[in-house]
């Protein structure tokens, strides 16, 4: 080993070399990095959670490689700053990341569970419901955009089943996924959840007493929704909110009469690079 | 490189060395190996599917390692034999695997989707429903046992919700998982599926016309089942079948009023090493 | 029940009603439907596997709902036809599906594992390696395009680690995902796999003898690849093939010195709706 | 609706009814409930994370159902208490849960990611590494036991590959899963992680500079480990620690020369109900 070792520069910097394949790389970075996160829920509240991060930059054709470790170093710095994450913070943080990587284009994405405290509809007992959220910022051609996504679990009850059956109606858990561009005005995570919950046959709670179970059963039966209705009802609410730009709404019903899902999607505007 | 290479035995057999840590290894082998599978469905029928295999043996304290590649070689031989897999075939195949590995204890497990053709209850339109199955054989202390497992998707409708609500009742998709020891008499995959489907508020189909949807809605409403009822109804059916030895029944309801599951388990006999 | 039942039309057709929310739905259909599949591997060969299907159409603003069951009926018909699936077959099948749904736009996607028989590099022992593939056809604005995707597991060895270490170099499993538009000329699944395998530090096999393990270790050490090199080497090969239109190449290295992944992406052309 | 509604008791308590099927249920409860968690890391430190809970009790043959909502109510109470979770706390909390459910047997399981701050071996830059942990308490036949489990990502380098190749050696990420019974003396999460990390070819870090990458490459090359070596080295360390009772060690190598895993398991004592 000693012979070969002697012939080497102590720590060669292979990534910084030149590349002659004339191929730029649209995205290069790290993925699946888990880190604790302080998340801003609204103007008054922040909360602790755990995020999975994806961090990447564009690499010009003439460069051999990016410096992956700087991405993780940036993440650790952000963590140590203890600043609760929201859209404005992420926008600034992305600019710092690009500077650190000497890159002009790139993106940051954090995905995390978060919790909202909810009161059951009749008994008013309280419990937490988990939602999956994500925030993403990307800079391309000098323009930075910020995107939020939320997955909201709800109940859907089939209008056809109700209409044709002598009693009952099949219903099931559904996931409403709302992804949208955040413009200058803030939209809280609570508001995002409500866009989906108000459109559903019923919202969900972690803790329900029998009087609540009676209410949710009857409320869903009185508000049947096809997957098509649900996606449209969410889109209608988004269309009426001037703070919201481009969006994509996905609804998936985990059908209780089949072993597969029904799904629907409405988009407004061109959706960015996934 | 040439100097070091010259000093080496051409192909050293490191695994066959001795070990002095005085620790036997209960299970060592390979996992996540995907291979095509011909599966016997019943005496008259076999079908093509894709299986994921787990193959392992016990390693005595004095041996450094097992020969992993022989496990995969055994699997490829089994594949080339084109013999449809059932309990008897797996029992014989395990004996051959242990011989090839020079081991006295070990196990084989194959997990795979399979399909049964079903007729909708009113329209009689036909479609395939996918079930997840597995077969496992294990030899320990000179005794070989064979185990089957099936995951059956069904519908459950809540008796409490029906009893307390003025109209409707919450219902949802549920998974019934039946794992059991196969004794000398064959039990077909169709029969295993029926143990679960007959116990549920309703079975599922991939293709239903409106008259079938009416039937399934009304049938489930007339047959409410708690998760406790469902697991007991499956256990009752297994208890009445003399061909079945030890078993474990798991039911998971993907609750449509919550974002979490309700579950229940009944076991008969001591369950083997997972 | 009888009173309410008497007041109902026997089987109301709720989905066929009108909708006044003035919102078209870009995609509505079913997802997660598993069905057996006969897959064409090349001009001479087809094979049995299991696919998961996603089937959807565009719904005009004035229609309340689509007929989900017709999508599954179409799938069962396709299955019963026993025609091995390839790009041309999928193109025709999509046209039939749209006709059955009375839709002008829509898409079909099937995802499935498939197997290629490979010979180890020195011993020439044979075994099967599993690849994940998918085929998708979509019709939008009167134009139908067909897309293939393959996930190829390979080995990557880090050039930096090799350059700076006195001995050894970290290496790991990587997944190369190639998605591309299929133009008029056929590209076989074997050819798609080779685009990735020839670009990697080494390809993989399920069964290797010791002489093969020696070869693969030395071959990877002689062919180090950053994630950036790997994605560029695949793109170079695709650029040189006149049969290939738009594409996206993703490489993910499951880093063996970290608990997270490094990844890179190169795209050519605008990527379609996911 | 009004007629039927009038005939009902306002809120029937269906679960509390009697059951005549003469089948006790070993486990019945809820699963997949996500809640924020304060976790005790060692005597001096606690941390915020997110847990997924599984809560269940044994149901006697004569009872129709359990009261699922009390399980979630118990969880919310525990959350509001803000007591950091450790083995002693979980033991007490389980007793309270059983009392609330009027049950004599049952179990609680929480699974969560947690983070340890680590210094890179040469540069001493710091970063967080995520580990998956779980704590479980169960009461059966009047005896309560508490179990911890940790999944530790490490690097393994193949001794055979090193021995037979002229240069290099294949290596990969591995997961070491240690599950053990906690007796009266505390074992910290840091100590559990070290059992695995000291046994591996190398431990992992999220952030490494080039001098660290040189170190980890050379260190792993100097410390080759078969999956059999790795599982034995962990077991040896556990055997030498008087605080530890029954245990199970699982190692899975995500082989970089194959698309499947090699795995090994050593157990001491009879492993409890999964």
């Amino acid at each position: 080993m000693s012979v070969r070792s002697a012939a080497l520069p102590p720590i060669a910097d292979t990534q910084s070399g030149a590349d002659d394949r004339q191929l730029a790389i649209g995205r290069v970075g790290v993925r699946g990095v888990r880190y604790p996160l302080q998340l801003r829920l609204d103007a008054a509240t922040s909360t602790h959670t755990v995020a999975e991060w994806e961090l990447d930059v564009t690499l010009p054709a003439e460069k051999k490689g990016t410096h992956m470790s700087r991405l993780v170093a940036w993440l650790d710095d952000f963590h140590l700053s203890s600043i609760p994450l929201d859209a404005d913070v992420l926008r600034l943080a992305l600019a710092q990341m690009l500077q650190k990587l000497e890159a002009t284009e790139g993106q940051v994405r954090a995905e995390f569970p978060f919790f909202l405290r909810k009161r059951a509809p009749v008994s008013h007992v309280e419990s937490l419901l988990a939602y999956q959220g994500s925030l993403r910022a990307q800079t391309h051609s000098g323009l930075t955009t910020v995107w939020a996504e939320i997955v909201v679990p709800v109940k859907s009850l089939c209008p056809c089943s109700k209409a044709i059956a002598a009693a009952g109606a099949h219903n099931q858990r559904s996931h409403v996924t709302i992804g949208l561009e955040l413009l200058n005005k803030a939209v809280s995570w609570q508001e995002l959840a409500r866009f989906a919950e108000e459109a559903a046959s019923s919202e969900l709670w972690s803790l329900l007493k029998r009087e609540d179970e009676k209410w949710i059963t009857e409320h869903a039966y009185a508000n049947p929704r096809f997957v098509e209705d649900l996606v449209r009802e969410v889109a209608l609410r988004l269309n009426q909110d001037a703070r919201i730009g481009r969006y994509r709404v996905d609804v998936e019903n985990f059908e209780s009469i089949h072993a597969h899902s029904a799904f629907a999607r409405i988009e407004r505007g061109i959706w960015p690079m996934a």
Side-chain angles (χ1 to χ4, degrees), chain A residues 257-269:
Chain A
I257 60 169
H258 298 302
H260 59 256
S261 293
F263 77 98
R265 169 182 292 180
I266 291 179
E267 291 176 312
R268 185 175 73 184

Side-chain angles (χ1 to χ4, degrees), chain A residues 55-67:
Chain A
L55 311 169
D56 60 277
V57 293
T58 296
L59 189 73
E62 65 277 11
K63 280 202 182 168
K64 183 157 180 63
T66 192
H67 286 278

